[in-house]
Amino acid sequence: TWLTPRIQEFMQLNPEIEVELIFDDKELDLSTRQADIGIFMRRPKQLNYIQKKLIDINYHIYGSPKYLEKNGYPKSVSDLNNHKFISFGRGAPSPVFNPDWALKLGLKDGAKKRKTVMKVNSVYGLLLAVQSGVGLAALPDYITVNQPNIVKVLPKIEGPITEAHFVYPQSLKNVARVQAFRNFLYSKISEWKF
């Protein structure tokens, strides 16, 4: 979702290339040509691809102003025990190594993690649930940029860093459209703020 608002520049520079974006929390199988390239939020399982680290993605805890006004702004990690949490649910692989990190934050080893009031199996679904005031959730920073009704809670507390990888099959290494997109991403990634 961080790519969508930025893709127009690539399309203007390369009008002959047709772009189709497929958003899925599951890892696409590039060997069956489900897509030419992939941007994966974890190191791909299939090691026969060319894969390069694209960027580190940071996670924080977020809530909506409406929820925080009603339930209070946490001032410390222990204050999180008094809040409702939304977590990443089952069905799709989590885009982060430890999706329950916010539920365990500040708790002693062996202690029960905080209970969730809702589980959602997509990152975008988590964002919508937070914005609507359901509770707090750990979200990647990129998805919150320029979004209404979202506030970073305990901003100095960061979750696990997730590496995004640019991935494509060996057979497409010298294909012009793949090279053009790869070059565009790597030339622009340092300019993008999230």
Side-chain angles (χ1 to χ4, degrees), residues 90-150:
R90 296 184 184 150
S94 168
V96 63
F97 169 69
N98 179 6
D100 290 342
W101 69 269
L103 303 178
K104 300 173 187 172
L105 186 65
L107 301 177
K108 293 180 182 176
D109 286 342
K112 280 184 126 179
K113 63 184 179 184
R114 294 175 184 91
K115 189 175 180 195
T116 59
V117 294
M118 180 182 205
K119 291 185 178 187
V120 182
N121 70 344
S122 84
V123 175
Y124 187 65
L126 282 172
L127 172 67
L128 294 175
V130 169
Q131 288 177 309
S132 68
V134 173
L136 304 179
L139 294 169
D141 292 343
Y142 73 81
I143 204 166
T144 65
V145 174
N146 298 324
Q147 289 291 326
N149 302 320
I150 193 102

Side-chain angles (χ1 to χ4, degrees), residues 7 10 28 35 42 51 54-55 64 71 109 128 132 152 158 173:
I7 199 75
F10 173 77
L28 293 176
R42 61 192 153 287
Q51 46 186 295
L54 187 58
I55 193 169
S64 72
N71 297 282
D109 286 342
L128 294 175
S132 68
K152 191 182 288 186
E158 288 190 358
K173 180 179 182 178

Side-chain angles (χ1 to χ4, degrees), residues 22-157:
I22 301 170
F23 293 104
D24 201 329
D25 287 329
K26 295 181 293 211
E27 188 175 303
L28 293 176
D29 184 358
L30 301 180
S31 66
T32 62
R33 299 300 299 256
Q34 288 179 316
D36 287 341
I37 62 126
I39 298 174
F40 296 163
M41 297 302 159
R42 61 192 153 287
R43 195 170 284 281
K45 293 174 186 157
Q46 299 159 347
L47 300 177
N48 56 336
Y49 297 144
I50 295 172
Q51 46 186 295
K52 296 183 183 214
K53 180 180 169 185
L54 187 58
I55 193 169
D56 285 332
I57 296 175
N58 296 307
Y59 280 71
H60 287 89
I61 299 171
Y62 290 89
S64 72
K66 179 176 141 183
Y67 171 84
L68 293 166
E69 286 168 17
K70 181 178 177 184
N71 297 282
Y73 287 77
K75 293 179 178 50
S76 69
V77 172
S78 62
D79 288 348
L80 295 175
N81 297 333
N82 303 319
H83 285 273
K84 298 175 182 173
F85 273 85
I86 311 156
S87 69
F88 197 84
R90 296 184 184 150
S94 168
V96 63
F97 169 69
N98 179 6
D100 290 342
W101 69 269
L103 303 178
K104 300 173 187 172
L105 186 65
L107 301 177
K108 293 180 182 176
D109 286 342
K112 280 184 126 179
K113 63 184 179 184
R114 294 175 184 91
K115 189 175 180 195
T116 59
V117 294
M118 180 182 205
K119 291 185 178 187
V120 182
N121 70 344
S122 84
V123 175
Y124 187 65
L126 282 172
L127 172 67
L128 294 175
V130 169
Q131 288 177 309
S132 68
V134 173
L136 304 179
L139 294 169
D141 292 343
Y142 73 81
I143 204 166
T144 65
V145 174
N146 298 324
Q147 289 291 326
N149 302 320
I150 193 102
V151 176
K152 191 182 288 186
V153 174
L154 300 172
K156 292 182 180 177
I157 306 292

